[in-house]
Amino acid sequence: MSKYKVALFDVDGVLIIPPKLFSEQYCENYGINLNEQVKFYATKEFQDASIGKFDLKDAIRIHSELWQWDGEPEELLNMWFEGENYPNKPLLNLIKVMRAKKVSVYLATQQEQYRASYLKEVIFKDKFDGIFCTCYLGYSKREDHFWKEVLRSLESSHPGLKPGEIAYFDDKQHLVDKAREFGIDAYLYTNTPDVKAILTK
């Protein structure tokens, strides 16, 4: 029996591991300079979209020179989301087992609203107990407010839950460190067998 009552999982690099990032696929297919295209993700509009304060479609329109895309933003988003639809099946199988053992499992992810919906309704439909997403909470995972809200929500739905009874897996060390500041047992993701060893110890 796991000592953890709740497990949180990051998405990109943990639950989704594509053979190639969409930016790389896109630039190869359309002959675009990758070093220029990736500047899009550092724009204020994209960053604001990830915390629910801007529309990603408008961000694409504003920075069309970085995408060199003449079609509708919806078409680009469909290509984007489908191009990274590579769920980590061994990890999802383990999550199914843990849920059967009454461990509540949630996504904890940095996403804008359209991809968040795609994750919930397509890739991970019915596979998780809920989602903590930056675009819904209004804060990035680097901010204290995100983790305070996660804990507040979990403690409300799991009365008596302690932060040390929550396991969190991310592929970025600085986010692992941030979660640990709140007493959460956070781990740098490596592979599914390591996750299993942690959750079943």
Side-chain angles (χ1 to χ4, degrees), residues 5 7 9 92-106 124-130 199:
K5 296 179 180 178
F9 290 88
L92 287 176
N93 289 337
L94 173 61
I95 286 168
K96 183 178 181 180
V97 170
M98 297 312 298
R99 291 183 75 198
K101 293 181 177 181
K102 307 304 181 184
V103 176
S104 298
V105 184
Y106 298 81
F124 300 126
K125 184 176 176 61
D126 301 326
K127 291 179 169 59
F128 288 82
D129 295 290
L199 291 181

Side-chain angles (χ1 to χ4, degrees), residues 36-178:
E36 287 298 309
Q37 194 279 326
V38 296
K39 291 179 181 178
F40 174 76
Y41 307 104
T43 64
K44 183 178 188 302
E45 290 80 9
F46 179 75
Q47 294 298 318
D48 283 350
S50 75
I51 55 172
K53 295 182 178 179
F54 204 79
D55 192 299
L56 181 59
K57 295 176 184 177
D58 290 334
I60 290 170
R61 291 187 183 99
I62 289 170
H63 295 286
S64 59
E65 80 285 355
L66 297 177
W67 286 97
Q68 298 182 36
W69 174 258
D70 296 328
E72 290 298 318
E74 289 83 357
E75 298 174 64
L76 179 59
L77 293 183
N78 288 338
M79 189 191 314
W80 182 346
F81 302 159
E82 290 172 8
E84 293 190 340
N85 187 350
Y86 287 89
N88 186 339
K89 292 182 180 179
L91 185 54
L92 287 176
N93 289 337
L94 173 61
I95 286 168
K96 183 178 181 180
V97 170
M98 297 312 298
R99 291 183 75 198
K101 293 181 177 181
K102 307 304 181 184
V103 176
S104 298
V105 184
Y106 298 81
L107 301 173
T109 182
Q110 180 103 7
Q111 306 289 339
E112 56 73 43
Q113 61 172 326
Y114 299 115
R115 189 158 185 251
S117 294
Y118 187 85
L119 294 173
K120 288 192 302 178
E121 298 166 11
V122 180
I123 302 180
F124 300 126
K125 184 176 176 61
D126 301 326
K127 291 179 169 59
F128 288 82
D129 295 290
I131 179 171
F132 295 109
C133 187
T134 56
C135 68
Y136 302 146
L137 300 185
Y139 301 99
S140 80
K141 288 166 69 176
R142 299 184 302 273
E143 297 181 90
D144 290 356
H145 288 293
F146 177 88
W147 296 102
K148 288 177 180 178
E149 182 58 26
V150 167
L151 287 176
R152 185 203 65 75
S153 178
L154 288 175
E155 288 164 0
S156 175
S157 58
H158 300 73
L161 180 71
K162 299 178 178 62
E165 295 173 319
I166 304 169
Y168 170 57
F169 299 90
D170 201 296
D171 64 327
K172 296 180 176 62
Q173 186 63 53
H174 71 279
L175 294 176
V176 170
D177 294 340
K178 173 57 70 174

Side-chain angles (χ1 to χ4, degrees), residues 9-34:
F9 290 88
D10 177 43
V11 170
D12 296 299
V14 178
L15 285 166
I16 289 181
I17 306 179
K20 198 173 280 190
L21 294 176
F22 174 70
S23 289
E24 297 173 304
Q25 301 172 41
Y26 181 79
C27 290
E28 287 178 7
N29 291 341
Y30 290 91
I32 296 170
N33 185 321
L34 179 62

